Amino acid sequence: MSSRDQILNNIRRNTKQVFDKPQMNLSAIEFDDKLTQFVEMSKAVGGDAIILKEGEDINEVIRALYPEAKEIASVVNGVHLTTLDPDSVESPNDLNNVDLAIVEGAFGVCENGCIWLPQQLKHKALYFITQYLAIILDRSKLVNNMHEGYRLITPSEKGFGVYISGPSKTADIEQALVVGAHGPKGLTVILR
């Protein structure tokens, strides 16, 4: 008998009273205008969210947002201003000089401005090593709260996924807010 089984048997043997699992009825927050809420929350957490207008070219919008970006990495369909295919490099270290990474989000959470990013790339380091991160998100894929979001998560083939909300930030260095301490200095969500 394994130590795990032994521990569980001891617990069962010494349990005096068993209770039924209680029913969980959560009434989580919902928003009348999810798009407006998501944009406002994205700004509140230090990022930005832009709603792509009808007929607007996403490449022109990205270039206007990041005019000084030289090394641009992406595998997103429809994005043509890339200078690097991040899946073509052998090591995550080869992504060290990326100014802008453009990725696609699966869905966004209006409650806190999070975007779920299942690993779509060979090296997940790109999400964190880039100077700036632009996430393209379908505006119809906004959910109200984290409860709804967790129901949508399915494991990716690569086995990794992460919620990202705003740029990297920390306030534990001498109690001063530092942006870009351990990840992107800026994050923009482009809602199409």
Side-chain angles (χ1 to χ4, degrees), residues 161-179:
V162 64
Y163 274 113
I164 292 183
S165 179
S168 165
K169 52 199 163 294
T170 183
D172 61 352
I173 302 170
E174 296 184 14
Q175 298 180 353
L177 180 63
V178 178
V179 177

Side-chain angles (χ1 to χ4, degrees), residues 115-119 124 127-128 153-156 158-164:
I115 302 99
W116 175 251
L117 296 176
Q119 185 175 350
K124 61 185 173 247
Y127 302 135
F128 311 104
I153 294 175
T154 55
S156 74
K158 294 181 170 69
F160 175 84
V162 64
Y163 274 113
I164 292 183

Side-chain angles (χ1 to χ4, degrees), residues 6 20 26 58 66 84 102-103 106 132 139 170 173 185-186:
Q6 186 177 359
D20 292 333
L26 299 174
I58 196 162
Y66 299 98
L84 173 69
I102 304 162
V103 298
Y132 295 92
R139 69 176 85 181
T170 183
I173 302 170
K185 292 189 244 182

